[in-house]
């Protein structure tokens, strides 16, 4: 009894203890749950910030590094206006954004990553500035960086140990105004060289310089190390004497400092560095005391004079031409010397014409034509004209003079009034009309002058041209239309031959025929029909088992079946024997189960299928090698002829026009509202950029507003979309004549001589299509030869294929030459710079320290990409940069 009481008490105590523990556990669970809820609740968002990352540190001198402007929980409102930092150059930024979530707290980061390059070795501080964001203006704290010597990768070598640049001259001193050569040399260790990033930039003031020549890359061996050597040259002169230290030349290069990845997937690791030359020290000597006739010319010059005719009647014009030519400081030359002539001549104010050599600033000629109209007969002496210049090679002044000329003037039938004071000599010079004596205008016979060319009428029909393809797409089309097409046809022919010569083909056909015969046998009830079907069954069974005898006996059938399957030999021999007895004995009835046994035996027969890999056997791929009469005997398709081999018709005309009527733009043009017509045609170009008629019409509207340069750009694009139309050729010639633009390619296309006459038979897009057609014709000729090799067509194949291939080669040669003639104009992203502009290294006008170069109107370039209102261009010589998009006309887009 006591034991029971103790047990119950212990149980009650244990129960109480367990309840207390449960309450304790529930309390702990509630606390954990409460803390968990607090942890899951979203935390308050951090305040929006804008900061530099990294906020400071070290940069390498002349090394391009990345510094990010990080926007937290906000984004910039427009382009940030960065402060100007002395000694630090900012490049065009890249963008990145990311979003992080921690405990349901979302943080967004937007980064503008600026490539920066320090240009001095002292500490650089980006001052604090304010930037506009979508959350309001934010202040960016200042960031300070120290600048030290940067090493190339992890090699431990300084940049100067790997690459060096020099600007050199033949000597250190020159005369004021003397034109002297300047050389630029860049040497880079070959194992570090990757590519040239930018053109050389040289702030050459106070030098007056020409453009740099095209860079020449060579390899050389210096101190046992192979170097890549780049050379460029120019010419320059200095106007004023003195001692000058010209700023260094700088060029960005890409250095290869290692590789990432492995095997075929490895790629070089590239660092971009600025290579800077030493300053150029020059001493410019003053010229000696000059004679009175010296006008400032320094160099080597020739001087010629010509008078035509030397004998004339009163009132007939006499032309006196003088020409100065040579090499020297042409930018400082203002005109030619004064000439002296009798007052018995009326003088037409001369006009000077300056002609410079291509891409030259210091080499050219200056010509003046003076028209003299005699007013009375007599013999007159035109005094020699003298020109004084300084020869820097000789170090002295030289004077060149023309020969004196005697002009004889005979009498005239009509009286001519001479001006007052006749007989006295008169001096005159260009640009001083006051020195020209007044004289009455003499009536002279003048031939009629044809009127100047005018723009033609708008075209009221829509016609689109072919826009050229990128080079990669063109190559792909040519390969697809030639190599892949021929290969596919070849494999199909080999597969057909393989199937025809498959030894199991007849067995497969016999098995299929046996199944059809047994099905028909089971459905027939006529005795005669069943006998006929039974004979057919025997013929097909003999073919299935390759029985060589025409009327085999049961033993032969057993032996032939046994060669393929021993298990089936007895079954098929019995079926054959029972069929023989039904056909040839008095007991002409088959056993009742014969049909079921025949179907079962047939279903057990497995005939191998066609092996696709057999087409790659030499006898199937190359049947025309070492083949005699065997193939001719086995031809299965002797009557098959290729009736539809590829016949491609290539038309050099553009797409057929479809009339769309006058339209509002044409109506506005006809009533003289050229601005409305311009706007309407621009809208049409935006929807149909390949329509050359709209581009022609837009050029007309611009020309009527005297915007000839812009009109020439659109007429050029119309010409490139339809080069054969009289309207586009007329437009191009008129635009070049009236706008003053003179791109060499367009001038030659306007003349249409030599290879340019061939090229303008078709547009660049059509010549590309011709190249694809030529590839198709070559492929067709090869296919015809393949069909002949597989004996599927007759003997006409070889001459036809050879003639087709010859025509295709001629067409491909003409297309290739024409596309080469078009050059950059054949690129789908070609643009024309229609007005003078500035080429910039980065797309901004805010930074006045960035490197720029003038961009001439009429330049042709390739548009690589757009950024806001800027377009990045690349030129044939490797030059590239950013220019305002409104200064360009896209020729195809």
């Amino acid at each position: 009894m006591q034991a029971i009481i103790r047990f119950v008490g212990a149980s009650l105590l244990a129960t109480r203890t367990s309840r207390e523990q449960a309450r304790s556990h529930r309390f702990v669970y509630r606390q954990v749950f409460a803390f968990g809820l607090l942890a899951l609740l979203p935390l308050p968002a951090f305040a929006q910030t804008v900061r530099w990352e990294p906020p400071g540190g070290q940069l390498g001198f002349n090394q391009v590094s990345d510094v990010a402007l990080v926007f937290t929980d906000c984004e910039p409102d427009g382009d940030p206006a960065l402060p100007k930092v002395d000694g630090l150059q900012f490049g065009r930024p890249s963008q990145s954004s990311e979003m992080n979530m921690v405990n349901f707290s979302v943080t967004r980061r937007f980064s503008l990553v600026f490539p920066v390059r320090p240009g001095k070795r002292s500490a650089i501080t980006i001052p604090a500035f304010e930037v506009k964001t979508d959350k309001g203006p934010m202040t960016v704290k200042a960031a300070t960086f120290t600048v030290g010597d940067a090493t190339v990768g992890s090699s431990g070598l300084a940049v100067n140990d790997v690459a060096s640049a020099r600007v050199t001259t033949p000597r250190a001193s020159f005369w004021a105004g003397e034109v002297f050569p300047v050389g630029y040399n860049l040497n880079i260790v070959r194992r570090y060289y990757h590519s040239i990033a930018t053109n050389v930039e040289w702030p050459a003031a106070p030098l007056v310089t020409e453009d740099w020549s095209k860079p020449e890359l060579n390899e050389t061996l210096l101190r046992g190390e192979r170097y890549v050597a780049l050379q460029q040259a120019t010419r320059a002169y200095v106007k004023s004497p003195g001692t000058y230290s010209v700023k260094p030349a700088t060029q960005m290069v890409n250095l290869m400092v290692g590789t990432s990845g492995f095997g075929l997937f490895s790629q070089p690791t590239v660092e971009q560095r600025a290579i800077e030359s030493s300053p150029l020290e020059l001493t410019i000597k003053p010229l000696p005391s000059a004679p009175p006739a010296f006008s400032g010319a320094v160099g080597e010059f020739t001087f010629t004079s010509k008078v035509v005719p030397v004998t004339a009647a009163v009132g007939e014009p006499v032309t006196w031409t003088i020409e100065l030519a040579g090499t020297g400081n042409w930018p400082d030359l203002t005109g030619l010397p004064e000439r002296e002539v009798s007052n018995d001549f009326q003088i037409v104010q001369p006009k000077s014409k300056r002609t410079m050599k291509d891409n030259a600033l210091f080499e050219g000629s200056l010509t003046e034509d003076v028209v003299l109209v005699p007013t009375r007969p007599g013999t007159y002496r035109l005094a020699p004209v003298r020109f004084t210049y300084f020869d820097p090679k000789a170090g002295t002044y030289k004077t060149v003079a023309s020969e004196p000329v005697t002009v004889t003037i005979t009498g005239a039938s009509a009286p001519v009034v001479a001006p007052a004071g006749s007989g006295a000599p008169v001096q005159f010079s260009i640009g001083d009309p006051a020195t020209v004596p007044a004289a009455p205008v003499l009536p002279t016979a003048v031939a009629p002058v044809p009127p100047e060319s005018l723009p033609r009428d708008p075209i009221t029909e829509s016609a689109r041209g072919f826009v050229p393809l990128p080079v990669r797409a063109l190559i792909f089309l040519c390969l697809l239309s030639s190599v892949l097409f021929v290969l596919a046809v070849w494999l199909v022919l080999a597969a057909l031959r393989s199937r025809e010569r498959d030894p199991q083909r007849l067995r497969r056909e016999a098995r299929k025929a046996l199944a059809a015969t047994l099905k028909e046998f089971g459905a027939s009830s006529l005795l005669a029909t069943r006998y006929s079907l039974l004979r057919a069954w025997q013929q097909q069974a003999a073919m299935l088992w390759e029985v060589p005898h025409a009327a085999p006996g049961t033993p032969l059938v057993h032996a032939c079946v046994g060669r393929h399957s021993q298990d089936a030999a007895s079954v098929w021999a019995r079926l054959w024997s029972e069929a023989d007895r039904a056909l040839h004995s008095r007991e002409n009835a088959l056993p009742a189960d014969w049909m079921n046994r025949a179907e079962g035996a047939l279903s057990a027969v497995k005939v191998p299928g066609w092996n696709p890999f057999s087409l790659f056997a030499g006898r199937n791929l190359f049947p025309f090698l070492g083949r005699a009469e065997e193939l001719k005997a086995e031809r299965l398709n002797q009557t098959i002829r290729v009736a539809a081999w590829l016949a491609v018709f290539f038309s050099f005309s553009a797409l057929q026009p479809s009339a769309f009527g006058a339209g509002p733009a044409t109506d506005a043009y006809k009533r003289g509202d050229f601005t409305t017509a311009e706007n309407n045609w621009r809208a049409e170009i935006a929807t149909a950029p390949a329509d050359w008629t709209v581009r022609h019409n837009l050029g007309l509207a611009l020309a009527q507003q005297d915007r000839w340069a812009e009109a020439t750009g659109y007429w050029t694009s119309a010409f490139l979309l339809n080069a054969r139309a009289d309207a586009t050729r007329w437009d191009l010639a008129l635009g070049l004549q009236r706008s003053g633009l003179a791109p060499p390619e367009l001038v030659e296309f306007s003349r249409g001589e030599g290879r340019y006459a061939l090229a303008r038979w078709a547009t660049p897009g059509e010549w590309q299509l011709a190249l694809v057609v030529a590839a198709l014709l070559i492929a067709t000729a090869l296919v015809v030869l393949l069909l002949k090799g597989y004996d599927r067509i007759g003997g006409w194949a070889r001459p036809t294929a050879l003639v087709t291939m010859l025509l295709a080669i001629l067409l491909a040669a003409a297309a290739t030459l024409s596309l080469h003639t078009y050059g950059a104009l054949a690129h789908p992203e070609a643009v024309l710079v229609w007005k003078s502009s500035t080429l910039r290294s980065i797309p901004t006008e805010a930074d006045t320290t960035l490197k720029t170069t003038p961009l001439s109107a009429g330049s042709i370039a390739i548009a690589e990409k757009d950024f806001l209102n800027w377009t990045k261009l690349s030129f044939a010589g490797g030059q590239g940069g950013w220019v305002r998009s409104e200064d360009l006309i896209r020729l195809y887009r």
Side-chain angles (χ1 to χ4, degrees):
M1 186 65 180
Q2 291 178 354
I4 294 175
I5 292 173
R6 285 196 299 270
F7 174 75
V8 173
S11 299
L12 291 174
L13 181 60
T15 302
R16 180 181 178 183
T17 303
S18 62
R19 288 176 180 174
E20 292 177 352
Q21 290 178 349
R23 283 197 300 271
S24 176
H25 290 167
R26 283 196 296 269
F27 175 76
V28 173
Y29 294 154
R30 290 192 189 101
Q31 297 296 322
V32 172
F33 183 70
F35 281 114
L37 286 179
L38 289 176
L40 291 176
L41 288 177
L43 296 175
F46 293 105
Q48 295 84 9
T49 61
V50 184
R51 67 184 187 280
W52 287 111
E53 191 175 281
Q58 182 173 354
L59 299 176
F61 176 69
N62 265 338
Q63 179 182 7
V64 178
S65 305
D66 290 336
V67 177
L69 189 60
V70 180
F71 296 76
T72 304
D73 290 327
C74 59
E75 291 188 4
D77 184 8
D79 293 335
L82 300 181
K84 294 181 180 179
V85 182
D86 183 29
L88 186 66
Q89 182 177 348
F90 289 89
R92 177 173 172 267
S94 60
Q95 300 179 4
S96 66
S97 59
E98 60 180 331
M99 181 178 66
N100 297 322
M101 179 181 292
V102 179
N103 295 333
F104 290 91
S105 175
V106 179
T107 303
R108 295 178 175 85
R109 286 165 49 102
F110 180 87
S111 301
L112 290 175
V113 182
F114 291 88
V116 296
R117 179 171 65 87
K120 64 179 185 178
R121 299 182 185 272
S122 59
I124 293 175
T125 299
I126 305 176
F129 65 99
E130 191 175 80
V131 61
K132 294 181 180 180
T133 71
D134 57 351
K135 305 297 183 183
M138 301 280 179
T139 300
V140 183
K141 294 182 179 180
T144 301
F145 298 91
T146 59
V147 180
D149 291 330
T151 61
V152 178
S154 58
S155 63
L157 297 174
V159 176
N160 294 336
D161 297 331
V162 174
S164 61
R166 290 189 307 149
V167 177
T168 59
T169 56
R171 56 184 190 273
S173 63
F174 300 93
W175 295 103
E178 178 184 357
V179 177
F180 54 88
V182 179
Y184 173 75
N185 297 276
L186 174 67
N187 295 326
I188 307 174
V189 175
R190 182 67 183 87
R191 52 196 169 94
Y192 288 100
Y193 173 76
H194 180 269
S195 60
I196 302 296
T198 63
N199 293 329
V200 58
E201 298 175 357
W202 187 35
L207 274 66
V208 180
T209 63
E210 293 178 329
D211 292 336
W212 288 105
S213 63
K214 291 184 178 180
E216 296 181 2
L217 278 175
N218 299 292
E219 286 198 17
T220 184
L221 189 64
L222 297 176
R223 300 181 297 274
E225 182 80 59
R226 298 201 68 83
Y227 281 77
V228 174
L230 179 143
Q231 295 92 24
Q232 289 181 265
T234 185
R235 292 183 294 183
Y237 77 90
V238 182
K239 295 181 181 180
S240 304
T243 301
Y244 298 96
S245 179
V246 186
K247 292 183 179 180
T250 304
Q251 188 165 24
M252 302 295 292
V253 299
N254 295 322
L255 300 179
M256 186 167 56
V257 298
T259 57
S260 59
F262 60 92
L264 296 176
F265 303 100
S266 63
Q267 57 183 3
T269 302
V270 177
E271 289 184 357
Q272 191 172 91
R273 299 298 178 86
I275 310 302
E276 188 176 271
S277 68
S278 300
L280 179 63
E281 305 294 337
L282 291 176
T283 301
I284 304 301
K285 300 179 294 185
L287 299 180
S289 298
F294 178 64
S295 60
V298 179
E300 298 180 5
F301 298 94
T302 59
F303 194 69
T304 57
S305 173
K306 182 172 62 174
V307 178
V308 178
V310 294
T311 301
V314 173
E316 294 181 354
V318 176
T319 302
W320 187 4
T321 302
I322 60 174
E323 182 184 41
L324 176 68
T327 301
N329 57 337
W330 279 100
D332 294 340
L333 300 185
T334 57
L336 293 174
E338 295 179 347
R339 280 171 275 184
E340 192 175 90
V341 68
S342 170
N343 200 26
D344 290 341
F345 290 91
Q346 293 180 355
I347 303 167
V348 178
Q349 180 67 23
K351 294 182 179 180
S352 60
K353 178 183 178 182
R354 180 173 297 204
T355 304
M356 305 305 296
K357 188 177 179 181
D358 292 342
N359 301 321
L361 186 61
F362 309 133
E363 195 170 349
S365 63
L366 181 62
T367 306
E368 285 180 1
D369 292 331
V370 176
V371 178
L372 308 176
V373 181
T375 60
R376 62 176 56 189
T379 301
Y380 299 90
R381 181 178 182 271
L382 301 181
V385 182
R386 292 176 173 82
F387 180 78
T388 301
Y389 67 95
F390 181 78
D391 186 349
K393 291 185 177 179
T396 59
Y397 292 95
K398 293 184 178 180
T399 300
V400 289
S402 63
E403 295 293 331
V405 179
T406 301
V407 179
T408 302
I409 306 300
T410 60
S413 57
V416 179
V417 180
S422 61
V426 176
Q427 286 188 343
F428 61 93
S429 61
I430 297 301
D432 189 10
T435 62
V436 182
V441 178
L442 298 178
T444 57
V446 180
V449 179
E452 291 188 356
S453 301
L454 293 175
R456 294 191 172 185
D457 295 330
I459 299 176
T460 58
E461 294 179 340
S462 175
R464 298 192 178 189
F466 290 101
V467 176
L469 297 172
V471 176
R472 291 184 178 180
L474 179 62
I475 294 175
F476 174 76
L477 278 180
C478 291
L479 291 177
L480 182 66
S481 57
S482 56
V483 178
L484 298 181
F485 174 64
V486 173
L487 182 61
V489 172
W490 194 349
L491 293 178
V492 169
L493 292 174
L496 292 176
R497 178 179 174 81
S498 173
R499 289 183 65 90
E500 291 171 359
R501 290 178 164 265
D502 186 8
Q504 301 296 327
R505 180 178 61 85
L506 295 179
R507 295 191 63 206
R508 289 193 297 272
E509 293 175 355
R511 188 185 184 287
K512 184 177 179 181
L514 277 172
T517 300
L518 289 176
K519 183 177 180 181
E520 188 177 354
F521 185 87
S524 176
S525 59
L526 296 177
L527 187 60
T529 303
R530 292 172 69 91
Y531 283 161
S532 176
L533 293 173
L534 196 59
R535 292 190 184 92
W537 178 87
Q538 282 192 325
Q539 294 174 357
Q540 294 157 2
M543 186 179 296
L544 173 64
W545 298 112
E546 297 178 326
V547 180
H549 203 279
T554 301
L556 182 57
V557 171
H558 187 280
C560 292
V561 175
R563 287 200 299 268
H564 295 278
S565 174
Q566 289 293 337
D567 297 337
S570 301
V571 176
W572 281 89
R574 180 182 176 188
L575 292 171
W576 186 278
S577 176
E578 292 171 350
D580 267 347
R581 284 198 299 272
L583 290 172
H584 304 296
S585 67
R586 294 180 180 178
E587 298 177 4
N588 54 0
L590 288 170
D593 61 346
W594 187 88
M595 179 68 181
N596 293 332
R597 287 188 288 111
E599 290 178 345
L602 181 61
S603 63
V605 176
K606 305 297 181 185
V607 181
W610 173 66
N611 182 15
F613 292 100
S614 62
L615 67 90
F616 296 104
R619 63 181 182 277
N620 297 323
L621 276 179
F622 308 102
F624 37 81
L625 299 180
R627 171 171 57 86
E629 298 297 327
E630 175 186 358
L631 184 60
K632 295 182 180 179
E634 296 178 354
R635 283 187 303 177
L636 300 177
N637 300 315
Q638 290 181 342
T639 59
I640 298 177
R641 294 292 182 266
V642 176
W645 64 286
L646 185 62
V648 179
F649 176 75
F650 170 66
S651 173
F652 286 110
S653 62
L655 300 180
Q656 292 297 325
S658 58
F660 59 84
T666 306
D667 294 338
Y669 182 89
K670 290 182 177 179
R671 66 173 180 267
D673 189 358
F674 302 121
T675 302
T676 301
E678 173 195 347
N679 295 333
N680 290 337
W681 277 322
R682 285 188 186 275
E684 291 184 24
I685 287 180
T687 57
D691 193 331
W692 67 269
T693 61
V694 180
R695 292 178 178 267
H696 159 81
N697 295 341
L698 177 56
L700 297 179
L702 295 170
Q704 294 291 354
Q705 302 174 62
D706 287 332
R707 295 156 63 182
W708 289 101
E710 194 173 358
T712 302
Y714 286 101
W715 284 340
T716 299
S717 62
F719 173 81
L720 294 175
L721 291 169
N722 188 351
R724 291 175 311 284
D726 291 337
T728 59
R729 294 183 179 183
W730 174 275
D731 291 343
L732 182 61
L734 176 63
L736 294 176
Q737 175 188 352
R738 301 295 290 272
S739 67
L741 302 180
E745 307 94 324
L746 298 182
V747 172
E748 294 298 335
F749 275 114
S750 175
R751 294 173 179 171
E753 299 174 354
R755 59 192 177 103
Y756 292 90
L758 170 66
R760 69 179 194 171
W761 279 7
T763 65
E766 292 169 344
W767 280 120
Q768 287 185 348
L769 182 59
L771 201 59
V772 176
V773 170
L776 282 172
L777 289 176
I778 293 176
T780 302
L782 294 176
V783 168
V784 170
L785 292 176
L786 281 175
L787 292 173
K788 174 59 181 174
Y790 280 90
D791 234 355
R792 303 231 172 216
I793 54 179
W796 56 269
R798 286 193 179 92
T800 302
L802 293 177
V803 171
T804 302
M805 193 171 295
L806 178 61
L807 293 176
I809 292 174
L810 293 177
L811 179 60
T816 303
L817 176 62
S818 299
L819 289 174
H820 178 72
T821 302
Y822 276 105
L825 294 171
H827 197 285
E829 299 298 334
V831 296
L832 175 70
V833 182
W834 67 271
K835 69 176 182 179
S836 298
S837 184
T838 301
L839 192 68
R840 303 175 184 273
S841 56
I842 60 176
T844 180
E845 293 176 343
D847 189 357
T848 58
T849 62
L850 61 86
K851 304 304 179 182
T852 63
T853 184
L855 185 59
S856 303
S859 301
I860 297 171
I862 306 300
E864 292 186 353
K865 55 185 175 181
D866 296 325
F867 175 74
L868 299 179
N869 293 324
W870 296 86
T871 301
K872 186 175 184 181
L873 303 182
S874 63
F875 296 86
Q879 171 74 304
W882 294 87
V883 69
R884 283 288 186 184
S885 300
E886 59 264 22
D887 299 342
L888 310 174
I889 293 177
R890 293 185 178 267
L891 301 180
Y892 297 103
R893 303 299 184 191

